[in-house]
Amino acid sequence: MLIEIVLPGVVEPDGLQVARRPLPTPAAGQALIRMEATGVSFAEQQMRRGRYYDQPAYPFVPGYDLVGTVTEVGPGVDAGLRGRRVAALTKIGGWSSHLLVEAADLVEVPAGVSAVDAETVVVNGITAWQMLHRKARVRAGQTVLVHGANGGVGSTLVQLAQLAGATVIGSASARHHDALRAAGVTPIDYRGDIGAQVRAIAPDGVDAVFDHIGGPGLMTSWQLLRRGGTLVSYGSASTLDDAGSGQGPILKLVGRLMLWNTLPNGRHAYFYNLWAGRTITKAKFRRRLRADLGAVLAEMAAGRLTAQVAAELPLARAAEAMRLAESRTVAGKVILTGESSTNE
Ligand SMILES: NC(=O)c1ccc[n+]([C@@H]2O[C@H](COP(=O)([O-])OP(=O)(O)OC[C@H]3O[C@@H](n4cnc5c(N)ncnc54)[C@H](OP(=O)(O)O)[C@@H]3O)[C@@H](O)[C@H]2O)c1
C-alpha cells in the first residue's frame, strides 16, 4: 500500500486528508519511486487557496518535488536504475510514499548527498540556478538583491550568487538578520523602505534584483537597477490572499515587465517561469533541467552549498508541516520525510 496526502478543495491545512491505496505498477517508460523526502513549497500555499497560476483540479495530491529510491521500472527503462537515489520535479503528487515518474524526468543524486539535503534544492535549486545563470547572468564582482533571503528559493539563491562571486543584499524580516549576516549577506528589512535601505548600501544601485513579491514594490526593484542591470520577477507573494484566480496578478506582472524591457535605458526585466518551454521543446527542457539541477547537486556534493532545512516531519504530519511553512517564521525548507530518510 502507498500513503498519500490529498488536498480535497479550498481548506485550511487541517483539511488535508491521509489516503491509502495499492502500489501502482510502472508502465512503459516509468519508474516507481519510494519517496524519502519531499517538501512544502510556496506553490502549495497557493494551491490550497485555489490561487496557483496553473491550479490543478481538486482533489489532488500536492508535492512539487521529491527525492527517493527507484524500486521498480517499467518496460523500456534501464533496469540499472533500481536502487538508485533520484530527484524529480513533479509540480503535484510528491506528497506520497510512492510515486510513478517518467524515467526521463529523473535526475540522479550524487553519492554522499542525503535525500533530505537534496530535496532542499530540487525546485529551489533549479529556480535559483536558472534565474541567476540563464536570466540575470550574474558575474563575479557584481552586487545583487535577493528578496525573501530566508525562504526556500531565496536561501539557495543567496548561496549560489555568493559562489558566483557576487555580493548579496538580502531582504527578510528582522528575526532572520543575524543568520543572514553570519552567512555573509547584508540584510535589509522588507517591511521598511527597501529603496532607501538598498541605496544606503549600494548608492549606484545593484546589478540584479530577484523579486518574488510583485505588487507595487516591483517598481522599486526596477528602479534599484544600475545601467546594464536585470530584474528577474518570479512570483507574486504579496497577492496570495487576494480574491479570484492566481493568473491575474502574474499576467499583470508580465505586462509591466515586457513594457519596461522595451525602454531604451540599458536595463532588462524578465519574468522567470520554471516550466517555460516544457510542452513545446520537452527534450530541451529536460536537458537543461538535468544540467542545472546536476550543477546544483554537484555544489552540494562538493560541500560548497549547504542545505537549508527549516524542519523535518514525517509525511503523515503534512498538515503540521504546512502550518509551519505558512507561519512566516521559518528559514529554509520544511521537509516531509518517507520511512528511514531523516538527516538524524
Ligand atoms: N516562477 C517560478 O517558476 C517559480 C518557481 C519556484 C518558486 N517561485 C516563487 O518563489 C517564491 C518563493 O517560493 P518558496 O517555495 O521558496 O517559498 P518559501 O520557502 O515559503 O519562502 C517564501 C518567502 O517569501 C516571503 N514572503 C511570503 N509572503 C510574503 C509577502 N506577502 N510579502 C513579502 N514576502 C513574503 C517569506 O518571508 P517571511 O518568512 O517573512 O514570510 C519567505 O522569505 C514564491 O513566490 C513562489 O511562487 C516561482
Short mmCIF file of all heavy atoms in Angstrom, two decimals, residues 40-43 45-46 64 123-124 127 148-154 173 176 190-191 212-213 234-238 271-275 325 328-330 332-333, ligand 1:
data_model
loop_
_atom_site.label_atom_id
_atom_site.label_comp_id
_atom_site.label_asym_id
_atom_site.label_seq_id
_atom_site.Cartn_x
_atom_site.Cartn_y
_atom_site.Cartn_z
N VAL A 40 7.56 21.30 1.37
CA VAL A 40 6.48 22.27 1.25
C VAL A 40 7.04 23.49 0.53
O VAL A 40 7.99 24.11 0.99
CB VAL A 40 5.93 22.68 2.63
CG1 VAL A 40 4.72 23.60 2.46
CG2 VAL A 40 5.55 21.45 3.46
N SER A 41 6.45 23.80 -0.61
CA SER A 41 6.84 24.99 -1.38
C SER A 41 5.74 26.04 -1.26
O SER A 41 4.61 25.73 -0.86
CB SER A 41 6.99 24.63 -2.87
OG SER A 41 8.02 23.71 -3.05
N PHE A 42 6.07 27.25 -1.69
CA PHE A 42 5.07 28.32 -1.67
C PHE A 42 3.88 27.93 -2.56
O PHE A 42 2.74 28.32 -2.30
CB PHE A 42 5.71 29.63 -2.16
CG PHE A 42 4.94 30.85 -1.79
CD1 PHE A 42 4.99 31.38 -0.51
CD2 PHE A 42 4.15 31.50 -2.73
CE1 PHE A 42 4.27 32.51 -0.17
CE2 PHE A 42 3.42 32.63 -2.40
CZ PHE A 42 3.49 33.14 -1.12
N ALA A 43 4.17 27.15 -3.61
CA ALA A 43 3.10 26.74 -4.54
C ALA A 43 1.96 26.05 -3.81
O ALA A 43 0.78 26.23 -4.16
CB ALA A 43 3.68 25.83 -5.61
N GLN A 45 0.97 26.61 -0.80
CA GLN A 45 0.18 27.63 -0.11
C GLN A 45 -0.83 28.24 -1.08
O GLN A 45 -1.96 28.54 -0.72
CB GLN A 45 1.07 28.75 0.43
CG GLN A 45 2.14 28.27 1.41
CD GLN A 45 2.83 29.45 2.08
OE1 GLN A 45 2.24 30.50 2.28
NE2 GLN A 45 4.09 29.28 2.44
N GLN A 46 -0.38 28.42 -2.33
CA GLN A 46 -1.28 28.98 -3.35
C GLN A 46 -2.33 27.94 -3.75
O GLN A 46 -3.51 28.26 -3.87
CB GLN A 46 -0.47 29.42 -4.57
CG GLN A 46 0.52 30.53 -4.26
CD GLN A 46 1.51 30.76 -5.40
OE1 GLN A 46 2.08 29.83 -5.97
NE2 GLN A 46 1.71 32.02 -5.75
N TYR A 64 5.51 19.39 -4.91
CA TYR A 64 6.15 19.95 -6.11
C TYR A 64 7.36 19.16 -6.56
O TYR A 64 7.73 19.19 -7.73
CB TYR A 64 6.57 21.40 -5.82
CG TYR A 64 6.35 22.32 -6.99
CD1 TYR A 64 5.15 23.00 -7.12
CD2 TYR A 64 7.32 22.50 -7.95
CE1 TYR A 64 4.92 23.85 -8.19
CE2 TYR A 64 7.10 23.35 -9.03
CZ TYR A 64 5.90 24.02 -9.14
OH TYR A 64 5.67 24.84 -10.20
N VAL A 123 13.23 21.90 -6.63
CA VAL A 123 12.60 23.07 -7.27
C VAL A 123 13.36 24.35 -6.91
O VAL A 123 13.58 25.22 -7.77
CB VAL A 123 11.09 23.20 -6.92
CG1 VAL A 123 10.84 23.30 -5.45
CG2 VAL A 123 10.49 24.40 -7.61
N ASN A 124 13.83 24.44 -5.67
CA ASN A 124 14.53 25.68 -5.26
C ASN A 124 15.85 25.87 -6.01
O ASN A 124 16.20 26.98 -6.40
CB ASN A 124 14.82 25.64 -3.76
CG ASN A 124 13.56 25.69 -2.92
OD1 ASN A 124 12.50 26.03 -3.42
ND2 ASN A 124 13.67 25.34 -1.66
N THR A 127 15.24 26.63 -9.84
CA THR A 127 14.75 28.01 -9.97
C THR A 127 15.89 29.01 -9.75
O THR A 127 16.11 29.93 -10.55
CB THR A 127 13.61 28.26 -8.95
OG1 THR A 127 12.59 27.30 -9.20
CG2 THR A 127 13.05 29.65 -9.06
N GLY A 148 13.34 37.94 0.14
CA GLY A 148 12.98 36.68 0.82
C GLY A 148 14.18 35.79 0.99
O GLY A 148 14.13 34.59 0.72
N ALA A 149 15.29 36.37 1.47
CA ALA A 149 16.55 35.62 1.54
C ALA A 149 16.50 34.47 2.54
O ALA A 149 17.37 33.61 2.53
CB ALA A 149 17.69 36.58 1.91
N ASN A 150 15.47 34.43 3.39
CA ASN A 150 15.30 33.31 4.33
C ASN A 150 14.50 32.16 3.73
O ASN A 150 14.46 31.07 4.28
CB ASN A 150 14.58 33.79 5.59
CG ASN A 150 13.17 34.31 5.26
OD1 ASN A 150 13.04 35.26 4.49
ND2 ASN A 150 12.15 33.70 5.81
N GLY A 151 13.82 32.40 2.62
CA GLY A 151 12.90 31.40 2.07
C GLY A 151 13.63 30.25 1.38
O GLY A 151 14.86 30.21 1.33
N GLY A 152 12.86 29.32 0.85
CA GLY A 152 13.44 28.15 0.20
C GLY A 152 14.25 28.52 -1.03
O GLY A 152 15.44 28.22 -1.13
N VAL A 153 13.63 29.20 -1.99
CA VAL A 153 14.36 29.64 -3.17
C VAL A 153 15.40 30.69 -2.77
O VAL A 153 16.56 30.62 -3.18
CB VAL A 153 13.40 30.25 -4.24
CG1 VAL A 153 14.20 30.85 -5.39
CG2 VAL A 153 12.42 29.20 -4.75
N GLY A 154 14.98 31.65 -1.92
CA GLY A 154 15.86 32.76 -1.56
C GLY A 154 17.17 32.31 -0.92
O GLY A 154 18.25 32.78 -1.28
N SER A 173 12.59 39.37 7.23
CA SER A 173 12.15 40.02 8.46
C SER A 173 13.30 40.00 9.47
O SER A 173 14.23 39.19 9.36
CB SER A 173 10.88 39.38 9.03
OG SER A 173 11.10 38.02 9.24
N HIS A 176 15.53 37.14 11.03
CA HIS A 176 16.50 36.35 10.27
C HIS A 176 17.82 37.09 10.01
O HIS A 176 18.72 36.54 9.38
CB HIS A 176 15.90 35.96 8.91
CG HIS A 176 14.65 35.13 9.04
ND1 HIS A 176 14.63 33.90 9.65
CD2 HIS A 176 13.38 35.36 8.64
CE1 HIS A 176 13.40 33.40 9.63
NE2 HIS A 176 12.62 34.28 9.03
N TYR A 190 12.32 43.84 4.72
CA TYR A 190 11.39 44.11 3.61
C TYR A 190 10.14 44.84 4.06
O TYR A 190 9.35 45.28 3.24
CB TYR A 190 11.06 42.83 2.83
CG TYR A 190 10.26 41.79 3.57
CD1 TYR A 190 8.89 41.95 3.80
CD2 TYR A 190 10.86 40.62 4.03
CE1 TYR A 190 8.16 41.00 4.47
CE2 TYR A 190 10.14 39.66 4.69
CZ TYR A 190 8.79 39.85 4.91
OH TYR A 190 8.07 38.90 5.58
N ARG A 191 9.97 44.97 5.39
CA ARG A 191 8.80 45.73 5.86
C ARG A 191 9.10 47.23 5.92
O ARG A 191 8.20 48.03 6.10
CB ARG A 191 8.34 45.21 7.23
CG ARG A 191 7.75 43.80 7.14
CD ARG A 191 7.11 43.36 8.45
NE ARG A 191 6.32 42.15 8.28
CZ ARG A 191 6.80 40.91 8.41
NH1 ARG A 191 8.06 40.72 8.72
NH2 ARG A 191 6.01 39.87 8.23
N HIS A 212 10.16 38.00 -5.88
CA HIS A 212 9.03 37.06 -5.90
C HIS A 212 7.82 37.70 -5.22
O HIS A 212 6.84 37.03 -4.96
CB HIS A 212 9.41 35.79 -5.13
CG HIS A 212 9.57 36.05 -3.67
ND1 HIS A 212 10.56 36.85 -3.16
CD2 HIS A 212 8.81 35.68 -2.61
CE1 HIS A 212 10.41 36.94 -1.85
NE2 HIS A 212 9.37 36.24 -1.49
N ILE A 213 7.90 38.99 -4.90
CA ILE A 213 6.85 39.65 -4.12
C ILE A 213 5.80 40.30 -5.02
O ILE A 213 4.61 40.22 -4.78
CB ILE A 213 7.47 40.71 -3.17
CG1 ILE A 213 8.53 40.06 -2.27
CG2 ILE A 213 6.39 41.35 -2.32
CD1 ILE A 213 9.33 41.05 -1.44
N TYR A 234 9.65 36.66 -10.31
CA TYR A 234 9.28 35.24 -10.45
C TYR A 234 8.13 34.83 -9.55
O TYR A 234 7.91 33.63 -9.33
CB TYR A 234 10.51 34.34 -10.25
CG TYR A 234 11.13 34.34 -8.87
CD1 TYR A 234 10.99 33.24 -8.03
CD2 TYR A 234 11.88 35.41 -8.40
CE1 TYR A 234 11.57 33.20 -6.76
CE2 TYR A 234 12.46 35.39 -7.15
CZ TYR A 234 12.30 34.29 -6.33
OH TYR A 234 12.88 34.27 -5.09
N GLY A 235 7.38 35.78 -9.06
CA GLY A 235 6.25 35.42 -8.23
C GLY A 235 5.47 36.65 -7.80
O GLY A 235 5.85 37.79 -8.11
N SER A 236 4.40 36.38 -7.08
CA SER A 236 3.53 37.47 -6.63
C SER A 236 3.05 37.16 -5.21
O SER A 236 1.85 37.09 -4.94
CB SER A 236 2.35 37.59 -7.61
OG SER A 236 1.50 38.64 -7.23
N ALA A 237 4.01 36.94 -4.31
CA ALA A 237 3.67 36.55 -2.94
C ALA A 237 2.75 37.56 -2.27
O ALA A 237 1.92 37.18 -1.44
CB ALA A 237 4.96 36.38 -2.12
N SER A 238 2.87 38.82 -2.65
CA SER A 238 2.08 39.86 -1.98
C SER A 238 0.59 39.74 -2.27
O SER A 238 -0.22 40.35 -1.58
CB SER A 238 2.58 41.25 -2.38
OG SER A 238 2.42 41.43 -3.77
N PHE A 271 10.20 37.96 -16.66
CA PHE A 271 9.52 37.07 -15.73
C PHE A 271 10.13 35.69 -15.94
O PHE A 271 10.28 35.23 -17.08
CB PHE A 271 8.00 37.01 -15.98
CG PHE A 271 7.31 36.22 -14.91
CD1 PHE A 271 7.02 36.81 -13.69
CD2 PHE A 271 6.99 34.88 -15.09
CE1 PHE A 271 6.42 36.08 -12.66
CE2 PHE A 271 6.40 34.15 -14.07
CZ PHE A 271 6.11 34.75 -12.86
N TYR A 272 10.51 35.04 -14.85
CA TYR A 272 11.05 33.68 -14.93
C TYR A 272 9.95 32.68 -14.64
O TYR A 272 9.25 32.79 -13.63
CB TYR A 272 12.20 33.49 -13.92
CG TYR A 272 12.58 32.03 -13.78
CD1 TYR A 272 13.40 31.42 -14.72
CD2 TYR A 272 12.09 31.25 -12.72
CE1 TYR A 272 13.72 30.06 -14.60
CE2 TYR A 272 12.41 29.91 -12.61
CZ TYR A 272 13.22 29.33 -13.56
OH TYR A 272 13.53 27.99 -13.45
N ASN A 273 9.79 31.72 -15.52
CA ASN A 273 8.83 30.62 -15.31
C ASN A 273 9.57 29.31 -15.50
O ASN A 273 10.02 28.98 -16.60
CB ASN A 273 7.68 30.74 -16.32
CG ASN A 273 6.76 29.53 -16.27
OD1 ASN A 273 6.84 28.70 -15.36
ND2 ASN A 273 5.89 29.43 -17.26
N LEU A 274 9.67 28.58 -14.42
CA LEU A 274 10.37 27.30 -14.40
C LEU A 274 9.90 26.35 -15.49
O LEU A 274 10.68 25.56 -16.03
CB LEU A 274 10.09 26.69 -13.02
CG LEU A 274 10.46 25.27 -12.67
CD1 LEU A 274 11.95 25.08 -12.73
CD2 LEU A 274 9.98 24.99 -11.25
N TRP A 275 8.62 26.39 -15.82
CA TRP A 275 8.02 25.42 -16.75
C TRP A 275 8.06 25.90 -18.19
O TRP A 275 7.58 25.18 -19.09
CB TRP A 275 6.58 25.11 -16.33
CG TRP A 275 6.52 24.49 -14.98
CD1 TRP A 275 6.19 25.10 -13.81
CD2 TRP A 275 6.83 23.13 -14.63
NE1 TRP A 275 6.29 24.23 -12.76
CE2 TRP A 275 6.67 23.00 -13.24
CE3 TRP A 275 7.24 22.01 -15.37
CZ2 TRP A 275 6.90 21.79 -12.57
CZ3 TRP A 275 7.46 20.82 -14.70
CH2 TRP A 275 7.29 20.72 -13.33
N ALA A 325 5.15 25.99 7.57
CA ALA A 325 5.67 26.70 6.39
C ALA A 325 4.93 28.02 6.18
O ALA A 325 5.49 28.99 5.67
CB ALA A 325 5.54 25.82 5.15
N ARG A 328 5.32 32.02 8.56
CA ARG A 328 6.17 33.16 8.27
C ARG A 328 7.21 33.38 9.35
O ARG A 328 7.55 34.52 9.69
CB ARG A 328 5.32 34.42 8.01
CG ARG A 328 4.28 34.17 6.91
CD ARG A 328 3.82 35.41 6.24
NE ARG A 328 4.93 36.12 5.60
CZ ARG A 328 4.78 37.23 4.92
NH1 ARG A 328 3.59 37.76 4.79
NH2 ARG A 328 5.81 37.81 4.37
N THR A 329 7.69 32.28 9.90
CA THR A 329 8.75 32.37 10.91
C THR A 329 9.97 31.56 10.51
O THR A 329 11.00 31.67 11.16
CB THR A 329 8.27 31.81 12.27
OG1 THR A 329 7.91 30.43 12.09
CG2 THR A 329 7.07 32.57 12.82
N VAL A 330 9.88 30.74 9.49
CA VAL A 330 10.94 29.75 9.27
C VAL A 330 12.00 30.23 8.28
O VAL A 330 11.77 31.11 7.46
CB VAL A 330 10.38 28.40 8.77
CG1 VAL A 330 9.46 27.79 9.80
CG2 VAL A 330 9.68 28.54 7.43
N GLY A 332 14.54 28.53 5.42
CA GLY A 332 14.82 27.33 4.65
C GLY A 332 13.56 26.56 4.34
O GLY A 332 12.45 27.10 4.40
N LYS A 333 13.73 25.28 4.05
CA LYS A 333 12.62 24.47 3.53
C LYS A 333 12.07 23.51 4.58
O LYS A 333 12.84 22.83 5.26
CB LYS A 333 13.13 23.68 2.33
CG LYS A 333 12.06 22.87 1.64
CD LYS A 333 12.21 22.94 0.14
CE LYS A 333 11.05 22.27 -0.55
NZ LYS A 333 10.62 22.98 -1.72
N1 LIG B 1 8.28 31.48 -11.31
C1 LIG B 1 8.68 30.27 -10.98
O1 LIG B 1 8.91 29.42 -11.86
C2 LIG B 1 8.85 29.92 -9.54
C3 LIG B 1 9.41 28.70 -9.17
C4 LIG B 1 9.57 28.42 -7.80
C5 LIG B 1 9.16 29.35 -6.85
N2 LIG B 1 8.60 30.53 -7.27
C6 LIG B 1 8.18 31.56 -6.30
O2 LIG B 1 9.24 31.71 -5.39
C7 LIG B 1 8.74 32.27 -4.19
C8 LIG B 1 9.37 31.56 -3.02
O3 LIG B 1 8.95 30.21 -3.02
P1 LIG B 1 9.47 29.23 -1.86
O4 LIG B 1 8.90 27.89 -2.14
O5 LIG B 1 10.91 29.44 -1.68
O6 LIG B 1 8.67 29.84 -0.61
P2 LIG B 1 9.00 29.84 0.95
O7 LIG B 1 10.11 28.92 1.27
O8 LIG B 1 7.68 29.67 1.60
O9 LIG B 1 9.53 31.31 1.19
C9 LIG B 1 8.67 32.39 0.94
C10 LIG B 1 9.46 33.66 1.09
O10 LIG B 1 8.61 34.73 0.71
C11 LIG B 1 8.41 35.62 1.80
N3 LIG B 1 7.02 36.05 1.77
C12 LIG B 1 5.93 35.31 1.96
N4 LIG B 1 4.82 36.07 1.83
C13 LIG B 1 5.25 37.30 1.57
C14 LIG B 1 4.61 38.54 1.34
N5 LIG B 1 3.28 38.65 1.38
N6 LIG B 1 5.37 39.61 1.08
C15 LIG B 1 6.70 39.52 1.04
N7 LIG B 1 7.39 38.37 1.27
C16 LIG B 1 6.65 37.28 1.52
C17 LIG B 1 8.76 34.81 3.02
O11 LIG B 1 9.17 35.71 4.01
P3 LIG B 1 8.64 35.50 5.52
O12 LIG B 1 9.32 34.26 6.03
O13 LIG B 1 9.00 36.72 6.22
O14 LIG B 1 7.17 35.30 5.36
C18 LIG B 1 9.87 33.93 2.52
O15 LIG B 1 11.09 34.61 2.52
C19 LIG B 1 7.21 32.15 -4.27
O16 LIG B 1 6.67 33.42 -4.53
C20 LIG B 1 6.99 31.20 -5.41
O17 LIG B 1 5.77 31.43 -6.05
C21 LIG B 1 8.45 30.81 -8.58
#
